[in-house]
Amino acid sequence: MSPKYTIGIDFGTLSGRAVLVRVSDGAEIATAVSEYANGVIDERLPESGIRLEPDWALQDPDDYIRVFAEAIPAVLRQGGVSADDVIGLGIDFTACTMLPTKADGTPLCRLPEFRANPHAWVKLWKHHAAQPEADRVNAVAAELGETWLPRYGGKISSEWFFPKALQILNEAPEVYEAADRLIEAADWVVWQLTGVETRNTCTAGYKAIWSKRDGFPRREFFRALHPRMENIVDEKMKRELSPIGSRAGSLTPQMAELTGLRPGIAVAVANVDAHVSVPACKVTRPGTLVSIMGTSVCDMLLETREAMVEGMCGYVEDGILPGYLGYEAGQSCVGDGFAWFVEHCVPPQYFDEARSSGRSIHAVLEAHAARLRPGESGLLALDWWNGNRSILVDADLSAVMLGMTLATTAPEMYRAWIEATAFGKRVIVEAFTSKGLAIEEIVACGGLPEKNKLFMQITADVVGLPIKVSASSQTPALGSAMFAAVAAGSTAGGYDSIEAAAEHMAHLKDETFTPNPAHRPIYDQLYAEYVRLHDYFGRDAGSTIKKLKRIKLTVHG
Amino acid sequence: MSPKYTIGIDFGTLSGRAVLVRVSDGAEIATAVSEYANGVIDERLPESGIRLEPDWALQDPDDYIRVFAEAIPAVLRQGGVSADDVIGLGIDFTACTMLPTKADGTPLCRLPEFRANPHAWVKLWKHHAAQPEADRVNAVAAELGETWLPRYGGKISSEWFFPKALQILNEAPEVYEAADRLIEAADWVVWQLTGVETRNTCTAGYKAIWSKRDGFPRREFFRALHPRMENIVDEKMKRELSPIGSRAGSLTPQMAELTGLRPGIAVAVANVDAHVSVPACKVTRPGTLVSIMGTSVCDMLLETREAMVEGMCGYVEDGILPGYLGYEAGQSCVGDGFAWFVEHCVPPQYFDEARSSGRSIHAVLEAHAARLRPGESGLLALDWWNGNRSILVDADLSAVMLGMTLATTAPEMYRAWIEATAFGKRVIVEAFTSKGLAIEEIVACGGLPEKNKLFMQITADVVGLPIKVSASSQTPALGSAMFAAVAAGSTAGGYDSIEAAAEHMAHLKDETFTPNPAHRPIYDQLYAEYVRLHDYFGRDAGSTIKKLKRIKLTVHG
C-alpha cells in the first residue's frame, strides 16, 4: 500500500501555510505559503476605499479560500504525491478572528449591499476597536456576578468574540440584523470545506466564554449587555460544539475540484494555532509545559485537575486535547523585547562587529553575553515592555532595569533582558506548581529556540527544568495535519487518537537544554529579587510604574 | 599707571593650567596648559618600573614644578604683559592629593633611597587603595564616639588624608618614619613658591578632619588608630592653619627666576579647585548654590548658620570664604553618565544623523530630546551610575530606569537620564532648605552649561530655581587669580577682600535659565516618584540594588 498523507493548514495573520505530512512518521514532505492578497486591512476597505478608524484590523474571507486553491495544489505538486493518498485535511487559525455570514455561509462582505460596510468584513484577532464593548462586557459581568468571569482572570479582552459582536450591533445594527451567523473564521473555513457548520471547543472556550459544563453565558447576561443580544447564541451561533480531535465532515466536490484533493476525505474540526501545537510538540498528557516562543510566548499545560491558577488566560475543558483541561498562560513580550533592545539600545560598534564577522547582530550580542557569568553584571530587569500577561494580567506595566554603572555594556544589558524573560517564565511555572499542578519539563517550539540558544539555556538554568525542542519549525501546520489524520481514522490509514498520532508523527530534537547546576544558586538569589520587584511594582495599584503610565496618559491628553 | 595682573594656576588631574588675569576687570588675558610628563601613575613607577597594585594612583611632584616653569612664562609671553605688572600668584589643586617630604620640603620620592618606593610618591585624590585604612578610621571613630564623625555624614572616604597616611604607615613604615612632613600637594607647591610651609583651612577642613573650633582629631583617636600615629599632627603636620584668602608668603628669588616673575610678589594660600570657583562665580554670600557641572557635580553653599544637613560631604568654617561655613554636596556622576549612555546605549542611526548633519551626537540627541514634553515618555530613572554622593553617601548604589516599552527611543532615555540628574539636584537643594538654609538661585560653572542647554533648562524646571552661568570657562584658575589679587592687597594694586575681588573680577553671562512654569506640575509629580524610588532603593540596606551589588561581588570573588 502506498504511504498516506494529510495536509495541515495554518492560517496566520498575513498568509496561510499548507504542509503536506506523511502519516506514518510525520515527515514534512512539502510546504507552500499563500499570502493574503488583502493582507491586514487597517486603513481602507478594498474596492470602496472606505477609510477605517484607528485600531481596526479586518481581513477578506476570500483570501482564505485562495489559500486552499493555491497552497494545496502546490504541496501536492512539490511533494509528488497523488491526491489518492491524501486522506485528510486539518486547519488552525488565529483567534478570535470572526465574521458575519448568511445562513448558507456567505460572508456579508461578499454581498454588494454590505461590501462598503467595514462591519461586514472579518474582524482579525488584533482588531482592537471594541475596547468600549469589552469594558461593558466586563462591567456587566461583574455587576451580575457572572460565574465565568473569575475563570478568565476577572477580565476578558477586546479581542474576544462578544465584544466584537457587540461592536457590530452598536455601530452597524443593519449588519448585525442581516447576519444569520456570527462565526470564527476557523470554523467558517471548515464549513466551506465540508458544507457543514461546526464550532470547535477551543475557540469557543478560549474566546467566546463557553465551557463544557456551563455552555455559553446565560440569556440574562446578554440581555443586560444589549436587549437585542439576548438570544445571540440561538439566533446567530450554535449550542452544539464539536470537540477538538473530531471529524467536522467530508470534503465537498466543489472544494475537491478547487484543491485537487479527492471529495469525501476527512476534514478535522478547526483549531487555534497555539493550541494545535501542543500535540505537535509530542505532548499529550500533564506534566509538560508547551511553550511557543517567538515575539511573545504562549504557555500551555494539559491537566486533569482543576485549579484557580493566578493570572491564567483561562482554562478550557477539551480546549487543547479531548479529556483534558487546557491551561493557557503567556508572556506578552519576549522576542519583541530583544528586537526592541537591538533596534534602540545597541551602539554602532556591535553592528560593525556583526558586519565584519558576517554574523547577525543578535549572534554578536549573544556571543558576548554568553561569556558573562550569572550575576556578574549586577543588573536585573523586569521584562514588561508590553505589560504583563501572566500572572499579573496588566497592560499598564512597563519594563525596568536596575544596576547600571559606568562600566555597564550592551551585552550585559542584553543578557539581563534575557534573564528577565526567564524569571518571568519561572513566575508562571511556579504559579502552576504552587497550586499542585506538576511541571517536570518544558517543550519549546516557535522561532526563538532556533535563533537564540543563550535564551534557551538561561531559561533552563533559571526555571530549573530541562527544555526540549520540537523538531518541526512549523508546529501549527503539523498539528493540524495530525488532527487531520485523527479525523480520517485508522481505517482510512490515519489514527484513532491524537495520542497515537503524536506518537508517530511528532518528534523532538535530540538537543535538550539542561539546567546548569553551577548557575542555579546565583539565579535563585536573583530570582528572589525579581519576585520582590515584580510584587513591589506589579501588585500595588499605586506603584511608580502605574503612576508613570497615568502621568503619560495625562500628558498625551 | 599700567594695569595690574595676577596669575591663577589650576592643578588638575592631568595638567596644570595658568591663566593671566587683569585685576581691574577680571579679563582673562592668556591661558597656558602644561601636561604632567608622568600624568597619572597607575601602572608602573617611572624609572624603576615598579609595578603598582590595582586602585593606586600616584603623581610626580616635579611635574607640578614644571607647570610653573612652562605655563607662567607662556602666559606672560602670550599676553604681552611685563612681569613688573604681575602682582600675585594663586593656586588651586585637586584634593586630597598628598605627599611625604623631608623637613625642607624635599619630596621623599626625589631621594634615591626612596625613588623605587611607591609610598614615597604623591598619592593622587583618586588613589583608592586605602579603603581598608578608611574602614579602620571609620570603625575606630565610631567606637570612640568621635564628635567630628557626624559632621562628615558618619563616614570618611578612602580618598582623604588620614587613610592615605595610615596606608603609608601600614605598608611602608620606613617611608612614614623618614617623612618629616605629610602635606597636601596644594600646600606643598605654595611652600615651593614661597619657602614657607603653610596649610590651608580648605583642604584641612574638607579632607583632614580639621575644624576651626576643634582643630584636628585628638591624640587618643590617632593612638587607637595606630600607636605610631598618636602624634602625627605635631610630628608631621602643623596645628596653625592659614585661612583661605590670606597671603602665604612672597615669591622666592629662585622661583622668580624659574617663572620669569618678580621676586617678592604675593602668593596666596592654596585652595581646592572646586571651592575656589565659588567667588569666581561672583558668589560671596549665602542664598546661592554654586554648582560645578561636569563629569560629576560639586555643589557649594556659603552660610552663617550651622545645620546638620543630611549627607553633606562636610561643612567647614572658613572652608570656602573667610567668615562663612562652607557646605559641600555633590552628585558623583552627571556628565559621565550622559557619556556612558552615548557610548553604550545609542543606536547607529543617531550617529549617522550626527555625521550627515555635521553635529555632535550629544547635539543630535539633545535636539530630539528637547522636542519631548515632560512625562510623555513614561520613563523615570535614578542617576546612580557611580553611587550616590549626596544625600545618601553610598557608593554601592547603581542606576535604575523604569517605564520602557517597545516604543521607547534613545532620545527618550537620554532625556530621562538628564531628568534623573535634575531630580538628584533637587534632593540636594531640598536637603538644605528643609534645614532652613535658604537657596534662591543657582550659579553654574564647568563644562556642562556650555555643552548641554537642555540639561540646564531641565534642571531649572525640576529644581524650580533660576540658574545663572559663570562667564568664565576656567573658573578655578580665575578664582585662584582673584585670591592672588587679595593676597597682594589694594596697596599693590589688588583688593583687600575676596568680596571686592569678586565684584570686579567675576562675571556672569547674560543668559539665565528660568524655570518654565508649564513644566512644573508634571515634574513635581515625577519628582515625588523619584523620591519614592530614591528612598525605597537607597535607604534600605537590604534593597534590591544593594543585594545586586553583593551578588556581583560574590561572583567576582
Side-chain angles (χ1 to χ4, degrees), chain B residues 340-353:
Chain B
W340 167 80
F341 179 77
V342 166
E343 186 180 343
H344 293 284
C345 310
V346 176
Q349 61 188 99
Y350 298 98
F351 289 91
D352 295 344
E353 186 180 336

Side-chain angles (χ1 to χ4, degrees), chain A residues 373-532:
Chain A
R373 286 165 297 169
E376 84 163 272
S377 71
L379 297 174
L380 181 65
L382 293 173
D383 51 319
W384 296 346
W385 302 275
N386 197 15
N388 177 288
R389 190 179 301 160
S390 304
I391 56 173
L392 298 171
V393 197
D394 191 335
D396 285 342
L397 296 174
S398 53
V400 177
M401 183 170 277
L402 287 87
M404 290 83 93
T405 72
L406 294 177
T408 297
T409 65
E412 286 179 331
M413 291 186 273
Y414 183 69
R415 184 175 177 116
W417 288 122
I418 291 175
E419 290 170 344
T421 65
F423 294 137
K425 169 73 82 193
R426 180 161 166 183
V427 168
I428 291 171
V429 168
E430 294 194 353
F432 283 114
T433 56
S434 70
K435 299 292 178 177
L437 306 187
I439 299 180
E440 281 140 27
E441 62 172 9
I442 294 172
V443 176
C445 63
L448 265 183
E450 272 309 306
K451 286 189 212 150
N452 198 326
K453 304 283 177 203
L454 181 64
F455 163 78
M456 299 302 291
Q457 185 58 51
I458 288 175
T459 301
D461 291 351
V462 165
V463 178
L465 293 175
I467 307 181
K468 296 173 179 163
V469 179
S470 162
S472 174
S473 62
Q474 36 201 359
T475 45
L478 172 62
S480 289
M482 290 166 57
F483 277 109
V486 176
S490 61
T491 52
Y495 298 102
D496 289 331
S497 71
I498 190 65
E499 286 83 356
E503 194 186 328
H504 293 95
M505 296 176 75
H507 304 281
L508 300 177
K509 294 191 176 180
D510 288 337
E511 179 183 32
T512 295
F513 296 93
T514 305
N516 180 342
H519 290 176
R520 305 259 15 239
I522 293 288
Y523 276 139
D524 283 346
Q525 291 179 59
L526 290 173
Y527 177 67
E529 295 304 317
Y530 178 91
V531 170
R532 183 147 63 128

Side-chain angles (χ1 to χ4, degrees), chain A residues 101-179:
Chain A
T101 73
K102 298 307 292 178
D104 66 356
T106 306
L108 290 193
C109 65
R110 255 192 223 152
L111 304 178
E113 63 268 37
F114 289 114
R115 191 108 180 115
N117 190 324
H119 279 291
W121 295 67
V122 178
K123 285 189 168 60
L124 185 58
W125 66 276
K126 66 174 179 173
H127 174 89
H128 286 132
Q131 188 60 52
E133 285 77 10
D135 294 344
R136 174 149 178 85
V137 167
N138 288 319
V140 170
E143 197 185 313
L144 300 187
E146 297 302 300
T147 54
W148 45 262
L149 196 56
R151 213 167 62 228
Y152 296 103
K155 200 150 68 175
I156 76 153
S157 155
S158 71
E159 292 181 5
W160 292 9
F161 193 86
F162 292 115
K164 281 172 169 159
L166 181 55
Q167 194 197 6
I168 298 176
L169 176 52
N170 282 340
E171 300 180 6
E174 69 286 8
V175 172
Y176 188 84
E177 285 308 312

Side-chain angles (χ1 to χ4, degrees), chain B residues 71-345:
Chain B
I72 292 176
V75 293
L76 290 176
R77 203 166 47 241
Q78 273 177 52
V81 164
S82 158
D84 293 335
D85 293 323
V86 178
I87 60 170
L89 193 56
I91 71 102
D92 62 271
F93 223 103
T94 64
C96 160
T97 294
M98 56 85 80
L99 70 161
T101 73
K102 299 306 292 178
D104 66 356
T106 305
L108 290 193
C109 66
R110 257 194 221 150
L111 305 177
E113 64 267 35
F114 289 115
R115 191 103 182 122
N117 190 322
H119 280 291
W121 294 68
V122 177
K123 285 188 167 61
L124 185 59
W125 66 274
K126 67 174 181 175
H127 173 89
H128 286 133
Q131 188 60 53
E133 285 76 11
D135 294 344
R136 177 150 176 82
V137 167
N138 287 319
V140 169
E143 195 185 314
L144 299 187
E146 298 300 300
T147 54
W148 45 262
L149 196 57
R151 213 168 61 226
Y152 296 103
K155 201 151 66 175
I156 76 154
S157 154
S158 72
E159 292 182 4
W160 293 8
F161 193 88
F162 293 114
K164 282 172 168 158
L166 181 56
Q167 194 197 7
I168 298 176
L169 175 53
N170 282 341
E171 300 180 6
E174 70 285 8
V175 170
Y176 187 84
E177 286 308 312
D180 298 318
R181 321 306 285 157
L182 294 170
I183 189 166
E184 283 279 348
D187 294 320
W188 181 78
V189 295
V190 168
W191 187 1
Q192 301 311 295
L193 290 171
T194 60
V196 182
E197 179 190 352
T198 57
R199 307 225 169 197
N200 74 84
T201 51
C202 180
T203 47
Y206 286 104
K207 309 295 175 182
I209 319 181
W210 172 87
S211 80
K212 192 171 179 179
R213 214 172 308 173
D214 302 325
F216 289 104
R218 61 204 175 107
R219 280 191 184 79
E220 290 74 7
F221 166 73
F222 286 117
R223 190 174 59 222
L225 208 53
H226 194 299
R228 282 166 69 185
M229 252 181 118
E230 177 173 1
N231 294 308
I232 183 172
V233 176
D234 295 307
E235 288 173 9
K236 297 177 192 292
M237 297 172 69
K238 231 171 124 70
R239 290 208 182 267
E240 312 79 62
L241 277 286
S242 301
I244 293 301
S246 59
R247 177 175 179 143
S250 306
L251 194 70
T252 63
Q254 300 91 316
M255 289 304 280
E257 192 171 348
L258 185 79
T259 59
L261 296 172
R262 296 288 170 254
I265 65 166
V267 176
V269 160
N271 214 322
V272 175
D273 45 9
H275 305 72
V276 77
S277 295
V278 173
C281 285
K282 217 176 178 70
V283 172
T284 55
R285 58 175 63 91
T288 300
L289 189 75
V290 172
S291 206
I292 305 177
M293 295 171 161
T295 53
S296 62
V297 167
C298 182
D299 293 310
M300 280 160 299
L301 187 68
L302 299 173
E303 254 300 339
T304 52
R305 284 168 291 188
E306 203 165 328
M308 294 306 264
V309 180
E310 187 182 10
M312 291 304 103
C313 306
Y315 65 87
V316 175
E317 202 175 340
D318 297 353
I320 299 175
L321 288 192
Y324 292 102
L325 293 166
Y327 287 82
E328 185 191 339
Q331 293 175 270
S332 44
C333 192
V334 178
D336 268 356
F338 306 155
W340 167 80
F341 179 77
V342 166
E343 186 180 343
H344 293 284
C345 310

Side-chain angles (χ1 to χ4, degrees), chain A residues 287-302:
Chain A
T288 300
L289 189 75
V290 172
S291 206
I292 305 176
M293 295 171 161
T295 53
S296 63
V297 168
C298 180
D299 293 311
M300 279 160 299
L301 186 69
L302 299 173

Side-chain angles (χ1 to χ4, degrees), chain A residues 65-88:
Chain A
I65 303 301
R66 276 189 285 271
V67 172
F68 293 132
E70 293 171 8
I72 292 176
V75 294
L76 290 175
R77 202 166 48 239
Q78 271 178 53
V81 165
S82 157
D84 294 334
D85 293 324
V86 178
I87 60 170

